[in-house]
Amino acid sequence: MQPQIFDTAPLPAGDRFGLWLEMLARTPTLMRIRTEHADNFLARAEFLDLGAMQLIRHRYRPLDGVRTRKLIQRSDADCYLLAVTLNGVGVADQDGQRGVCPPGDITFYDCARPQELSHYADEDDRAASIVALIPYDALPLPHRRLTPLFASRMSGREGIGALLADYLIRITSHPEQYHAVDAERLGGVGLDLVTTLLGRHLVSEEAVPTEVRRRALLAQVQAYVRQHLGDAMLDPRTIADAHHISVRSLHRLFEVEETTIAAYIRDERLARCRRDLADPALGDRSIQLIAGRWGFRDKAHFSRAFRAAQAETPQAYRTRHLEQARIVNSAASEVNPARTD
C-alpha cells in the first residue's frame, strides 16, 4: 500500500501554514488553528485508506486548535476520531471533559461535536500522532454509550490499548509491506481493536458484540505468541493463563480460524527462521543457533518441521537464498562501482 503524503518541507516557508490549512479543510477534522510557527510551519501528513477506517500519521510544529459548530457544518463530520500520541503532549477537550495524553496514550472524540485540542513538543521538536477516522456506522457500539469516553485518556502502553497502538504504528510506519488487497481486512482488525478498547472503558463490555471480542482476543493471543517465540516452554497452558482463559477456550479460538494454536506457533517460528537463514548478515551464525533463537531446541525436530514446510533442508534453503543475495549484490556493484579517487 502507498500512502498519500502531504509535506510542507518542499514549499516556500511563507506558504507552508496556509497550504496546511487548505489541506486540513478537505478532511473531517477542519479546525481553526493557532501556532507560533505560522511563518515556517513544517508539517507532514501521511494518509492511508483501510476501507472503513482512514489512518493519518501527523508530524507538525506545536499548535492549538478549536472546532466550532460553524466549522462542523462545513465538513463531513459523521465520524469518530481516535488519536495515539507519538511525540509531545496532546490535550483534548470535549463536552466538559479533558484528556492529557503523553506519548503512548490514546484519546477519542466525536467529530460532530465542538472540541478544542493542543499538541505541544519540546523546543525545536515536532509533535506527532496517529489519527484514525472512523465513520459512525463502522463502530458497532451505541453512540449514546460512548459519550463518557469523549476526550478521555486511555493507556496505549498496556493491555488492549498497547496492542492497538502497536498495530497502528506498525501499519503507518511500513505501509509498503502490505498489499492494497489487504486494506479492508487490516481496517477490520483495527476496528475490532478499537471497539474492544472502548468496550473495556465502558461500564459493561456487553455493548461489544461477541464476535468482535473474539477477534480482538485472537489478535491479543497472536501478538503474545509473536513476542514469546524464543521461549521453548511456550505452550497452550502458558498462553491461556496469560490471557485468563481456559486451554479449551484457547483451542476453540483457533478452531474458528481453521488452524490450531500449535500450528500457529510453529508457523511463526519457521517464518522467523526463514528470514534469518536468508539474511547475509547472519551468514556466519549456525543453523542450530538460529533455530534455538526462535524456540526450536531440538535440531532433529527443527529439520523435520522445516523440510515438511519448505520441501528442502534448512541448509539447502540458506545456500540458495544467500547465493541469490550474492548475485544481486554483485550485479549492483557492477552497475554502481565504488569510487576509488
Side-chain angles (χ1 to χ4, degrees):
M1 296 186 295
Q2 292 298 322
Q4 292 185 329
I5 298 174
F6 182 87
D7 193 346
T8 67
L11 305 172
D15 296 340
R16 289 170 178 167
F17 187 57
L19 290 173
W20 176 267
L21 294 181
E22 289 183 18
M23 180 277 296
L24 200 63
R26 298 192 294 270
T27 73
T29 58
L30 173 62
M31 305 188 88
R32 186 169 66 246
I33 301 294
R34 300 185 303 273
T35 178
E36 296 180 357
H37 306 278
D39 58 338
N40 185 17
F41 193 72
L42 289 170
R44 180 182 175 93
E46 301 176 14
F47 297 83
L48 198 59
D49 189 357
L50 298 183
M53 180 170 68
Q54 183 182 50
L55 301 182
I56 311 172
R57 189 170 180 129
H58 287 295
R59 191 163 180 258
Y60 41 64
R61 289 290 181 88
L63 54 77
D64 299 289
V66 177
R67 184 167 168 82
T68 64
R69 294 193 182 280
K70 286 186 178 180
L71 292 177
I72 291 170
Q73 292 171 359
R74 290 167 50 189
S75 61
D76 184 9
D78 293 338
C79 63
Y80 301 110
L81 184 149
L82 180 139
V84 181
T85 303
L86 300 180
N87 190 50
V89 176
V91 182
D93 290 85
Q94 188 168 69
D95 288 350
Q97 300 182 94
R98 164 172 283 209
V100 180
C101 299
D105 276 355
I106 298 170
T107 192
F108 173 77
Y109 52 84
D110 183 357
C111 290
R113 303 185 186 208
Q115 73 244 16
E116 297 181 14
L117 68 81
S118 299
H119 202 158
Y120 300 104
D122 295 335
E123 190 174 354
D124 298 326
D125 201 359
R126 280 192 263 178
S129 63
I130 298 174
V131 165
L133 295 173
I134 306 168
Y136 287 159
D137 58 5
L139 203 60
L141 294 170
H143 185 76
R144 59 181 178 78
R145 294 284 304 279
L146 294 173
T147 302
L149 300 183
F150 295 151
S152 63
R153 171 186 174 184
M154 294 174 278
S155 175
R157 294 182 295 274
E158 58 186 11
I160 195 73
L163 186 60
L164 171 60
D166 181 67
Y167 186 77
L168 298 180
I169 290 170
R170 284 175 180 269
I171 290 177
T172 57
S173 296
H174 300 287
E176 73 283 354
Q177 295 181 359
Y178 305 95
H179 298 290
V181 294
D182 298 325
E184 290 280 350
R185 183 171 178 82
L186 291 170
V189 173
L191 287 173
D192 288 343
L193 295 175
V194 170
T195 302
T196 304
L197 175 66
L198 298 177
R200 294 278 172 89
H201 286 80
L202 295 174
V203 176
S204 171
E205 288 189 50
E206 293 180 358
V208 181
T210 301
E211 178 58 17
V212 171
R213 292 202 300 270
R214 186 197 70 80
R215 292 196 300 260
L217 176 59
L218 176 67
Q220 282 184 281
V221 168
Q222 290 173 331
Y224 180 88
V225 169
R226 291 193 296 270
Q227 292 168 3
H228 295 83
L229 288 173
D231 182 0
M233 302 305 292
L234 184 68
D235 62 9
R237 169 57 64 187
T238 302
I239 298 168
D241 289 347
H243 293 84
H244 310 291
I245 60 176
S246 68
V247 174
R248 183 176 180 182
S249 295
L250 178 65
H251 286 306
R252 283 203 301 267
L253 190 64
F254 280 82
E255 283 175 3
V256 178
E257 301 300 309
E258 298 184 350
T259 187
T260 65
I261 180 63
Y264 182 78
I265 294 172
R266 181 198 63 227
D267 291 346
E268 288 296 311
R269 282 175 168 162
L270 288 173
R272 300 304 192 282
C273 290
R274 288 195 300 271
R275 183 194 66 188
D276 286 0
L277 289 171
D279 187 350
L282 301 177
D284 60 347
R285 187 170 298 183
S286 72
I287 291 176
Q288 187 171 355
L289 192 61
I290 288 175
R293 177 189 180 190
W294 297 113
F296 290 105
R297 297 294 187 259
D298 184 282
K299 183 178 179 180
H301 171 66
F302 169 64
S303 295
R304 288 194 299 271
F306 195 95
R307 284 199 305 270
Q310 298 299 131
E312 62 181 333
T313 66
Q315 183 61 60
Y317 180 92
R318 171 180 245 184
T319 300
R320 179 165 58 84
H321 281 79
L322 292 185
E323 177 62 17
Q324 290 174 353
R326 187 192 66 77
I327 293 172
V328 170
N329 290 335
S330 177
S333 298
E334 293 177 4
V335 173
N336 300 297
R339 295 188 58 172
T340 58
D341 58 331

